[in-house]
Amino acid sequence: MESLIYILPLLLAYILDLILGDPRWLPHPIRLFGNLISFGEKLLNKKKARVLKGAIVTILLTSFTFLFFYFIVKLVTPYPVVKIIFETVFLFYALANKSLVEEGKAVFTELKKGINEGRSRLSWIVGRDTSKLNTQEIIKAVFETLSENLSDGVIAPLFYYAILGIPGAMLYKMVNTLDSMIGYKNERYIHFGKFAAKLDDVFNYIPARLTTILMLLVTFKIHKLPLVWQEAKNHSSPNAGYPEAALAAILDCRFGGPNYYHGILVEKPFIGSNDRIIKESEFKKVASINYMVTLIFVIFIAMLLWFI
């Protein structure tokens, strides 16, 4: 019975994400996280000692997030039904697979209307400048984002739920939100967001590599693991290159290359060697990989929790 208290929220949250995704009308704790980060950044990202100030904001927000959910879980633990409902809701909030796939699909829907529509919709989900991308570059950007965010938006929060419960999953979401808001290497954030970016690298180290292995397993391409491991090192990020390299190996294509970010050309290396034309129809395969990896990992965690 004790194991079910941990397994039921996992299974129910997975099903809710599969059905609902991330409805825009639903209040979301990540928006609150974003507001807190924005407040701290506007208050302290000025004058001297910006690295220290950014580290203080990051440590305070991550500590508060973990402790807040830790004590709430302690408070509801004597009431199993309440605990299951609470953890189901917040683990559901932590997952983003359905919404990620739907956002990718929306880009292709808009792309059918015209290149400008596709570029505009792509800008919703990527940080790069999309105003001059051609169709092939748009397709690659969607696929890269789906693979990278499979780790960030699904496997990582599930991983931290497995080892630290809801406090761990929400702690990870705060770390990831900090990185997505202040972890940029531009003039405004390069100092203030340095600690947050490094912390995100640490938190994503295992999930990124775990995602890579799962992607290769579900597509029966595990024999390509040594090649993927080598290609992943070409990426400037210590983590993002791994799931991207896995998808490049699975599709036998090439990702990466130069892109504009906030008006600055970033010379990113290529990942994969086959510079072939990637078709829009391959989106179905990429989406199915995301769904299969998520299902397999949920089953694995459920089994682990049951036997532990």
Side-chain angles (χ1 to χ4, degrees), residues 238-278:
N239 300 314
Y242 285 86
E244 285 188 25
L247 188 58
I250 292 164
L251 298 180
D252 189 26
C253 67
R254 189 174 76 172
F255 292 141
N259 270 295
Y260 281 90
Y261 291 83
H262 308 288
I264 300 172
L265 180 63
V266 179
E267 293 288 349
K268 296 172 69 175
F270 290 103
I271 294 176
S273 57
N274 188 8
D275 188 22
R276 67 174 181 85
I277 300 297
I278 306 174

Side-chain angles (χ1 to χ4, degrees), residues 14 46 78 88 133 141 184 188 210 222 280 283:
Y14 165 73
K46 58 184 73 171
T88 297
L133 298 183
Y184 295 104
R188 178 171 177 173
L210 185 57
I222 195 65
E280 291 181 40
F283 173 77

Side-chain angles (χ1 to χ4, degrees), residues 224-235 242 245:
K224 292 192 175 184
L225 185 60
L227 174 64
V228 168
W229 235 244
Q230 189 60 42
E231 287 287 328
K233 295 174 184 177
N234 293 334
H235 202 289
Y242 285 86

Side-chain angles (χ1 to χ4, degrees), residues 2 71 75 83 113 118 121 163 173 179 184 249 300-301:
E2 188 176 344
F71 284 115
L75 192 65
K83 185 175 188 291
K113 299 176 183 177
R121 189 59 190 238
I163 61 175
K173 295 304 290 187
D179 180 64
Y184 295 104
F300 174 76
I301 294 173

Side-chain angles (χ1 to χ4, degrees), residues 44-238:
L44 295 175
N45 189 16
K46 58 184 73 171
K47 298 180 180 179
K48 298 180 180 180
R50 294 193 185 192
V51 173
L52 177 60
K53 291 175 181 176
I56 290 171
V57 168
T58 299
I59 292 169
L60 285 176
L61 289 178
T62 52
S63 300
F64 172 77
T65 300
F66 182 83
L67 291 173
F68 175 81
F69 283 95
Y70 175 82
F71 284 115
I72 292 295
V73 169
K74 283 287 185 184
L75 192 65
V76 299
T77 294
Y79 314 99
V81 174
V82 177
K83 185 175 188 291
I84 289 169
I85 293 172
F86 176 80
E87 296 200 343
T88 297
V89 169
F90 280 93
L91 186 56
F92 162 65
Y93 278 134
L95 301 179
N97 196 40
K98 172 83 180 280
S99 59
L100 173 63
V101 172
E102 290 299 316
E103 286 297 332
K105 186 186 295 183
V107 173
F108 290 110
T109 300
E110 292 299 307
L111 187 58
K112 286 182 172 65
K113 299 176 183 177
I115 188 72
N116 289 328
E117 287 81 357
R119 290 167 176 166
S120 178
R121 189 59 190 238
L122 177 64
S123 68
W124 291 28
I125 59 173
V126 300
R128 71 192 68 176
D129 181 2
T130 64
S131 62
K132 297 179 181 178
L133 298 183
N134 59 36
T135 299
Q136 193 63 194
E137 290 168 335
I138 291 172
I139 295 171
K140 286 184 179 181
V142 172
F143 288 1
E144 289 170 5
T145 299
L146 282 171
S147 62
E148 181 181 346
N149 284 284
L150 174 59
S151 175
D152 293 357
V154 184
I155 300 305
L158 286 173
F159 174 79
Y160 286 103
Y161 174 76
I163 61 175
L164 293 170
I166 284 298
M170 299 313 290
L171 167 63
Y172 172 78
K173 295 304 290 187
M174 175 58 87
V175 170
N176 194 237
T177 307
L178 278 158
D179 180 64
S180 68
M181 290 184 65
I182 64 172
Y184 295 104
K185 294 179 180 179
N186 57 24
E187 186 177 350
R188 178 171 177 173
Y189 297 121
I190 189 167
H191 299 298
F192 188 78
K194 187 174 184 179
F195 185 84
K198 293 296 182 184
L199 187 62
D200 185 73
D201 288 343
V202 171
F203 268 72
N204 279 299
Y205 187 88
I206 295 175
R209 287 150 182 81
L210 185 57
T211 303
T212 301
I213 293 170
L214 289 170
M215 290 172 72
L216 295 174
L217 280 173
V218 301
T219 54
F220 305 101
K221 302 283 186 180
I222 195 65
H223 61 281
K224 292 192 175 184
L225 185 60
L227 174 64
V228 168
W229 235 244
Q230 189 60 42
E231 287 287 328
K233 295 174 184 177
N234 293 334
H235 202 289
S236 58
S237 165

